[in-house]
Amino acid sequence: MNSNITFHTPDEAAWLLGVSRGAVSRAIRSRKLRVVRRREGLRIPSTELTRVLRGGAA
């Protein structure tokens, strides 16, 4: 696994993507945005945000 991967909360992901928290929640529920479940809650890998920003399905 790449050691440069960071993880973001859904709120952080929404801010970085320039969308609402609800849009991120819908993308997670419809599995268009991959998440990792951690003890602290849902986290979105930075690689997933990069994929979305580059034009991947989200």
Side-chain angles (χ1 to χ4, degrees):
M1 187 173 224
N2 187 346
S3 63
N4 293 328
I5 296 176
T6 56
F7 294 89
H8 304 280
T9 66
D11 286 333
E12 291 169 342
W15 184 84
L16 290 167
L17 295 172
V19 299
S20 70
R21 172 65 162 81
V24 169
S25 294
R26 284 188 297 278
I28 291 169
R29 280 195 305 274
S30 65
R31 297 180 185 227
K32 293 180 180 177
L33 190 60
R34 188 175 66 85
V35 297
V36 175
R37 293 189 189 277
R38 294 210 150 169
R39 196 179 316 186
E40 306 86 27
L42 295 177
R43 296 294 183 260
I44 300 145
S46 58
T47 53
E48 189 68 3
L49 295 179
T50 300
R51 180 187 65 81
V52 171
L53 289 170
R54 287 186 177 165

